[in-house]
Amino acid sequence: MPIQHVDLARLSLQDALDLATLVEEEAHERYLELADQMDQHRTPEAARFFRFMAENEAKHGAELAERRRALFSDAPREVRRTMIFDVEAPDYDEARAFMTARAALDIALRCEEKAHAFFVEALPHIREPQVQALFAELRDEEVHHQELVRREIARLPADADTSGEAFVDDPAAQ
Amino acid sequence: MTTAVHQAGQTMEPREFKSDLKPIWCPGCGDFGVLQALYRALSAVGRPPHEIAFVSGIGCSSRIPGYTTAYGFNSVHGRALPIAQGIKIANPDLLVLVAGGDGDGFSIGGGHLPHAVRRNLDLTYVVMDNQIYGLTKGQLSPTSHRGLQTVTSGYGSLEEPVNPLLYTLAYGAGFVAQGTPADMPGLTSVIEEAIRFPGFAFVNVQSPCVTFGEAEWQLKAHKAQMKSLAGLGHDPADRLKAMALAAQYGEELYTGVFYRNPNPAPTYDALVVERQAELRDQALPRERILDLFRKDGGR
């Protein structure tokens, strides 16, 4: 389970909304990091896509944060970023210099699948009905996101036979 | 108020340790995960950036101090440990972290390691062990395994690698652990434990080089092969068992704490403070310090 120090069986709706917001926040920041990496390594198409994903994650995060504010105002947050490990954020080792836009979309798809798997795995542990409803809603949203990404992938032309590795310089002795 | 969340007592957010400088490592590098784990561990420890000094040598991983908001010193190749020791003795209140690669730590700086361990200053030394010199484009490093083909070992290395875990245990380190960015919660946890340990703490991180490292020993392989020491029921107070497990470096990927001294010895920095207190009465007043250099000793 990619969360630590959280007892799902006793999760309140406030904590659940905070947890979900932080999951989106982590994914937002990670996509921005990957976009920066792509910029550094002259891979603009993948950078553009990662920025697009970052915006989407930020939008979802803001929506969840707004719901939380409406219900619980400024009650102190107990869930922290240090408790969440790559629930929806891409793993760092997924990125590659010169990766294609299709490869970037494949990463996004795996992230949506990963997030879906998290909510599926978490749901049986949750007892609070409102939290169950929220997690079920988020689980279904991840399925919808997967469909959107798959649709985008289908619209892309197939990658050329040459992989990104072909553009990397051979090691040179000093 | 809910009790579902177990508080770690932290007050800082990981992002507060992140500087504006953007890492220039190759996409896919293991060091990105190590940096993220460091932010989280520092957040959990809760000391603000101005109370932390980060010292490194030279290499890809030695760029880490620049990516944090703590005080940073990207120093000379292999000399991170002596500089960190000086900083800690000069200002024992600072939390001092040392970072670097396997070449920096076990080859160029290899002579400094046993002395840093035996002095037992309260330092945390995080080595990003990628078994290659990445920054200089793929030469054999001290932890490269026998048979590895690199630009400087075209027919395969003839040397046995250094075993960082066994070395540091044999030198007498009070805390020895290993992690991998393939297990981010575990890596964060061992770094946090290392920082909290009162004495010299060593964390070897298997952090693969995506460009010059072996294709079959990247994070996906780590995920498949890593074995948690806690899961194996290892008792970290058992030093001999820790050494037996550490001897399998290069064959098994164990993660977690190999050894944590249950009765940590006093640190060198604490002993220096004690000695200073003992000798305070005998100390010359500041304005008479130069008298020490006179032939008659100022008498």
Side-chain angles (χ1 to χ4, degrees):
Chain A
M1 190 68 91
I3 54 171
Q4 302 266 301
H5 310 298
V6 177
D7 182 357
L8 289 169
R10 299 165 76 184
L11 202 64
S12 68
L13 182 60
Q14 179 192 315
D15 288 335
L17 281 165
D18 285 337
L19 182 76
T21 307
L22 289 173
V23 164
E24 302 290 344
E25 187 182 296
E26 185 190 42
H28 162 74
E29 286 178 16
R30 186 66 51 78
Y31 276 120
L32 283 183
E33 281 185 66
L34 295 195
D36 287 341
Q37 291 178 25
M38 294 301 116
D39 283 339
Q40 296 260 13
H41 293 272
R42 295 183 289 280
T43 312
E45 282 192 2
R48 240 188 332 269
F49 174 71
F50 286 140
R51 288 223 156 74
F52 167 74
M53 287 303 295
E55 281 172 27
N56 282 336
E57 303 298 351
K59 197 173 75 185
H60 300 149
E63 285 165 5
L64 287 161
E66 189 45 49
R67 277 169 75 176
R68 194 268 198 205
R69 252 192 308 277
L71 289 169
F72 304 104
S73 188
D74 295 326
R77 193 166 74 181
E78 295 190 29
V79 184
R80 292 184 181 277
R81 270 289 295 280
T82 47
M83 299 168 180
I84 294 161
F85 291 89
D86 305 346
V87 175
E88 190 167 6
D91 292 348
Y92 284 110
D93 65 322
E94 293 264 31
R96 288 292 181 276
F98 313 120
M99 68 194 306
T100 62
R102 176 181 285 272
L105 277 148
D106 285 341
I107 291 178
L109 180 59
R110 283 194 288 277
C111 289
E112 301 299 338
E113 288 169 346
K114 185 167 71 166
H116 176 259
F118 166 74
F119 290 116
V120 167
E121 195 184 341
L123 261 164
H125 300 282
I126 291 168
R127 294 200 191 128
E128 167 67 46
Q130 286 178 304
V131 179
Q132 279 176 346
L134 174 70
F135 271 39
E137 174 195 328
L138 295 170
R139 176 200 60 197
D140 295 344
E141 267 184 24
E142 299 305 341
V143 174
H144 177 57
H145 296 159
Q146 287 172 35
E147 284 163 7
L148 292 176
V149 178
R150 281 201 185 93
R151 212 175 299 159
E152 287 302 310
I153 291 173
R155 282 165 45 177
L156 282 174
D159 280 347
D161 286 342
T162 34
S163 74
E165 300 296 320
F167 299 101
V168 179
D169 292 340
D170 285 333
Q174 300 299 295
Chain B
M1 183 166 292
T2 178
T3 52
V5 179
H6 312 304
Q7 287 294 336
Q10 67 191 30
T11 53
M12 310 275 308
E13 288 293 330
R15 70 165 73 88
E16 292 178 78
F17 296 95
K18 187 176 178 181
S19 77
D20 293 334
L21 207 58
K22 289 174 179 164
I24 58 164
W25 295 315
C26 305
C29 176
D31 293 353
F32 284 106
V34 183
L35 182 59
Q36 185 61 233
L38 276 162
Y39 292 148
R40 286 162 183 259
L42 288 170
S43 161
V45 169
R47 297 275 301 267
H50 71 271
E51 292 181 6
I52 302 166
F54 224 127
V55 187
S56 69
I58 294 294
C60 293
S61 50
S62 288
R63 301 184 64 86
I64 268 190
Y67 302 140
T68 75
T69 49
Y71 291 112
F73 192 160
N74 188 173
S75 74
V76 188
H77 211 354
R79 311 301 169 220
L81 280 172
I83 291 166
Q85 290 171 73
I87 291 171
K88 186 67 185 176
I89 292 170
N91 188 351
D93 292 336
L94 277 177
L95 169 62
V96 182
L97 304 169
V98 193
D102 46 290
D104 189 72
F106 310 133
S107 184
I108 297 99
H112 295 300
L113 183 59
H115 304 293
V117 172
R118 75 182 171 85
R119 282 187 197 114
N120 190 36
L121 276 89
D122 189 7
L123 301 174
T124 300
Y125 186 26
V126 179
V127 171
M128 279 142 276
D129 176 7
N130 61 6
Q131 297 100 42
I132 200 88
Y133 281 97
L135 188 67
T136 49
K137 290 184 179 279
Q139 296 84 4
L140 199 68
S141 90
T143 54
S144 300
H145 65 77
R146 184 190 280 270
L148 185 70
Q149 287 185 303
T150 70
V151 291
T152 49
S153 58
Y155 299 101
S157 165
L158 297 170
E159 301 170 3
E160 277 302 315
V162 157
N163 182 332
L165 300 164
L166 199 52
Y167 276 28
T168 46
L169 280 165
Y171 294 152
F175 183 98
V176 176
Q178 182 163 255
T180 162
D183 168 25
M184 286 296 291
L187 178 59
T188 305
S189 168
V190 291
I191 294 175
E192 182 189 337
E193 267 199 74
I195 293 170
R196 292 187 190 280
F197 181 78
F200 189 92
F202 172 69
V203 181
N204 196 64
V205 185
Q206 293 283 331
S207 179
C209 173
V210 68
T211 304
F212 299 108
E214 291 181 284
E216 60 273 22
W217 194 232
Q218 298 294 317
L219 290 183
K220 285 190 174 50
H222 290 196
K223 273 176 200 158
Q225 294 179 42
M226 62 191 183
K227 290 179 186 162
S228 153
L229 290 168
L232 295 173
H234 172 58
D235 172 10
D238 186 341
R239 187 158 175 262
L240 289 178
K241 180 71 177 152
M243 292 180 94
L245 289 162
Q248 295 173 61
Y249 171 88
E251 295 158 20
E252 295 282 0
L253 176 53
Y254 291 124
T255 59
V257 180
F258 283 80
Y259 180 62
R260 185 193 308 105
N261 187 340
N263 302 300
T267 61
Y268 186 92
D269 33 306
L271 292 172
V272 167
V273 171
E274 262 180 42
R275 180 69 55 85
Q276 283 170 333
E278 283 166 18
L279 298 177
R280 189 159 293 138
D281 292 344
Q282 298 172 40
L284 283 176
R286 191 177 290 252
E287 60 276 13
R288 289 195 56 207
I289 292 291
L290 287 177
D291 290 351
L292 291 170
F293 298 94
R294 286 170 43 177
K295 268 188 181 169
D296 60 1
R299 284 184 291 275

